Amino acid sequence: MSEFHSEISKLSPAPLWQFFDKICSIPHPSKHEEALAQYIVSWAQEQGLDVRRDPTGNVFIKKPATPDMENKKGVVLQAHIDMVPQKNEDTQHDFTTDAIQPYVDGEWVTAKGTTLGADNGIGMASCLAVLASTDIKHGPIEVLLTIDEEAGMTGAFGLEAGWLEGDILLNTDSEQEGEVYMGCAGGIDGELTLTVEREAIPAGYTTRQLVLKGLKGGHSGCDIHTGRGNANKLLGRFLAGHAQELDLRLVEFRGGSLRNAIPREAFVTVALPAENEAKLAELFEFYTELLHAELGRVETDIVTFNQSAEAEEIFTVATQQRFIATLNALPNGVVRMSDDIEGVVETSLNVGVITTDADKVTVLCLIRSLIDSGRSQVESTLTSIAELAGANIAFSGAYPGWKPDADSEIMQVFRDLYENIYGHKPNIMVIHAGLECGLFKEPYPTMDMLSFGPTIKFPHSPDEKVEISTVALFWEQMVALLENIPAKA
């Protein structure tokens, strides 16, 4: 590692941060991570490591055991290559061509106006740093770097039996130091489509665009219980309350950008009688104040705009009524908390992305649940709403949860090491997010797994940041764990 492009390369532990610095310099949003994958392959070849790729595009790298460690169980270090591409509205950034610009902000590392990609770039950097090390004691090591985790877990779905030899898998995609994960939620995408019929804007109408932005957004699993506002639902609520009163006629609704990120911004273009413009401004201002009163402790930067717009056609009254009622009726957020694991969400729904085309409106949701029956219940709810609305509903991309293993040997090793180092036990958790471990269990059912990582706040949003001190702790735990892997039976 000789080329650094930011100040983070000077942080400690140096090998990890230097790899992460390089990762930030190579664009790698979901479905566009090939350049970074190629860099990693070339680097591994230069190091004389055994590197290969499967038909899906996943990267596999092997490193032999260090002297006197050959009898240890084989370990697979695992991370995903892609990152979530989210930016602020006023940030000029093309994730397919532009480097992420990380910088140190006090005790944290964050990025200028975009997601940082610490999810899962820090974990990936740790895997590469282990491969590059000459002083870490370890048994046989394999590194598995999967593609397209954030947009569909394509790499994990494509992983086949026979590619991995290890007995233990260490997933690095967790986001709270002091917590180690032994289970996760499964999920499925739901796409609801309403046919749109249009007509000309009546004479005497004017066109306005209502904008809601400045929300925190965040991860639709890890942050779904925090009470953050969903911009799609909040603008839908305003329409449900005032469209008829103001004689608003819809032109377009768009909001959110990823099904697995809580929407931070939404935009609705409407036409209305010119004489109602002042009333619209008054009611939208009142609604903004209402949102500050309701959500202000969580959402501290809510901003709204009522600005001019242009349009030629509007939804018919029947189409508009169906859409507004549907959006207002869609459940969102926590559906049920777990009875088995205190403080953990069992089932949730995120109304993630709404787009408008000439002839249809599409609403993309993500259902998560620790149990299959919880997921099925929400699928049934969405199906019923679609039936009542005369809309189409399609489900796709289902992935399983990761069932906790109470007898996990590697979890016992991690827990004991953690307590020996820090004087207290880690919190053993189940996460309400999709980790790839659940999918790995199908081709490798006997593999012992856990997931851990540093503290990352606001993943999947431009506010994403990673706590510097916890990266050092994460690395310390990684090194200690590799040096204490159990021997083969």
Side-chain angles (χ1 to χ4, degrees):
M1 297 297 294
S2 59
E3 298 178 3
F4 309 126
H5 84 294
S6 78
E7 60 182 333
I8 69 169
S9 65
K10 301 175 183 178
L11 297 172
S12 180
L16 189 156
W17 282 109
Q18 288 167 7
F19 273 109
F20 183 61
D21 181 70
K22 185 64 180 180
I23 288 167
C24 288
S25 74
I26 304 174
H28 57 287
S30 300
K31 311 212 181 272
H32 298 276
E33 61 267 65
E34 185 59 23
L36 181 53
Q38 289 285 0
Y39 167 79
I40 293 169
V41 168
S42 297
W43 173 84
Q45 290 171 338
E46 290 172 3
Q47 304 304 306
L49 297 169
D50 179 4
V51 58
R52 54 189 177 144
R53 301 185 73 178
D54 67 10
T56 304
N58 298 318
V59 177
F60 302 81
I61 309 172
K62 293 179 67 174
K63 183 182 180 185
T66 56
D68 300 324
M69 298 286 282
E70 294 87 354
N71 68 327
K72 298 292 186 178
K73 289 186 174 181
V75 173
V76 179
L77 303 179
Q78 192 269 321
H80 62 81
I81 302 174
D82 60 316
M83 65 171 286
V84 169
Q86 285 272 280
K87 67 183 184 69
N88 290 322
E89 187 77 9
D90 57 357
T91 298
Q92 298 297 316
H93 187 92
D94 184 340
F95 282 95
T96 64
T97 59
D98 298 340
I100 300 299
Q101 299 181 52
Y103 67 95
V104 176
D105 182 14
E107 302 301 314
W108 303 81
V109 168
T110 189
K112 295 180 180 178
T114 70
T115 36
L116 173 64
D119 171 17
N120 184 214
I122 292 290
M124 180 165 39
S126 74
C127 297
L128 298 178
V130 168
L131 292 175
S133 71
T134 57
D135 58 352
I136 298 174
K137 296 180 181 179
H138 59 76
I141 292 286
E142 296 170 88
V143 166
L144 166 61
L145 304 177
T146 52
I147 65 162
D148 195 35
E149 188 269 353
E150 299 288 6
M153 294 198 177
T154 303
F157 271 112
L159 181 64
E160 299 175 350
W163 284 80
L164 298 174
E165 299 172 359
D167 307 290
I168 296 165
L169 185 139
L170 305 180
N171 172 280
T172 62
D173 198 16
S174 296
E175 294 159 0
Q176 182 62 52
E177 196 287 316
E179 295 180 354
V180 56
Y181 293 90
M182 60 184 299
C184 71
I188 192 169
D189 295 334
E191 184 176 89
L192 188 148
T193 307
L194 295 95
T195 301
V196 170
E197 295 180 349
R198 295 181 180 268
E199 59 190 24
I201 297 177
Y205 275 54
T206 187
T207 309
R208 307 293 297 178
Q209 184 182 61
L210 305 178
V211 180
L212 173 62
K213 60 194 309 184
L215 302 179
K216 283 189 168 64
H219 193 293
S220 71
C222 300
D223 299 320
I224 201 70
H225 64 289
T226 58
R228 297 178 189 178
N230 179 309
N232 290 332
K233 290 289 292 180
L234 293 177
L235 264 193
R237 174 182 166 187
F238 179 80
L239 293 175
H242 301 292
Q244 186 172 356
E245 172 186 1
L246 294 166
D247 196 15
L248 296 181
R249 302 296 300 278
L250 284 183
V251 175
E252 178 192 42
F253 193 113
R254 61 184 173 91
S257 58
L258 294 166
R259 95 261 189 264
N260 60 353
I262 301 170
R264 300 177 296 110
E265 302 171 343
F267 309 80
V268 59
T269 304
V270 297
L272 75 163
E275 61 268 24
N276 289 349
E277 271 196 90
K279 185 66 172 177
L280 170 63
E282 177 186 337
L283 288 173
F284 199 51
E285 182 177 354
F286 175 80
Y287 185 62
T288 303
E289 294 172 356
L290 179 67
L291 293 182
H292 281 291
E294 289 184 355
L295 303 175
R297 289 186 178 274
V298 175
E299 299 289 2
T300 56
D301 299 309
I302 298 173
V303 178
T304 61
F305 300 97
N306 175 1
Q307 56 199 26
S308 61
E310 295 183 0
E312 295 181 356
E313 291 187 323
I314 53 177
F315 288 22
T316 62
V317 172
T319 296
Q320 174 171 316
Q321 289 175 339
R322 285 193 305 126
F323 169 69
I324 293 176
T326 300
L327 177 55
N328 198 42
L330 283 173
N332 180 77
V334 176
V335 175
R336 194 170 192 276
M337 299 297 291
S338 173
D339 291 335
D340 298 322
I341 311 164
E342 185 177 356
V344 172
V345 178
E346 180 184 274
T347 305
S348 71
L349 176 69
N350 182 52
V351 181
V353 185
I354 300 178
T355 54
T356 303
D357 297 309
D359 59 349
K360 65 179 180 180
V361 177
T362 303
V363 182
L364 184 58
C365 303
L366 175 57
I367 304 168
R368 300 181 190 267
S369 186
L370 299 179
I371 57 176
D372 289 343
S373 59
R375 190 183 77 187
S376 297
Q377 176 203 349
V378 180
E379 288 182 55
S380 177
T381 299
L382 294 185
T383 300
S384 295
I385 291 173
E387 183 176 342
L388 290 169
N392 293 319
I393 185 77
F395 298 100
S396 63
Y399 56 90
W402 167 25
K403 186 178 179 180
D405 177 7
D407 299 320
S408 168
E409 182 182 33
I410 191 60
M411 180 61 75
Q412 182 65 51
V413 171
F414 185 96
R415 182 172 55 193
D416 292 345
L417 280 173
Y418 195 97
E419 186 173 15
N420 289 338
I421 295 171
Y422 306 115
H424 61 91
K425 290 183 172 65
N427 294 320
I428 299 175
M429 305 284 289
V430 174
I431 191 171
H432 188 69
L435 294 174
E436 294 166 292
C437 298
L439 289 166
F440 298 154
K441 276 290 187 180
E442 184 171 345
Y444 301 95
T446 63
M447 191 172 284
D448 199 2
M449 303 181 185
L450 63 75
S451 178
F452 68 123
T455 298
I456 300 171
K457 296 294 186 184
F458 315 125
H460 298 193
S461 87
D463 297 323
E464 182 185 6
K465 59 183 182 179
V466 60
E467 191 172 15
I468 296 169
S469 62
T470 67
V471 175
L473 295 175
F474 166 58
W475 179 247
E476 183 177 47
Q477 294 154 24
M478 172 77 79
V479 171
L481 200 53
L482 290 176
E483 291 180 350
N484 289 274
I485 293 296
K488 296 176 184 176

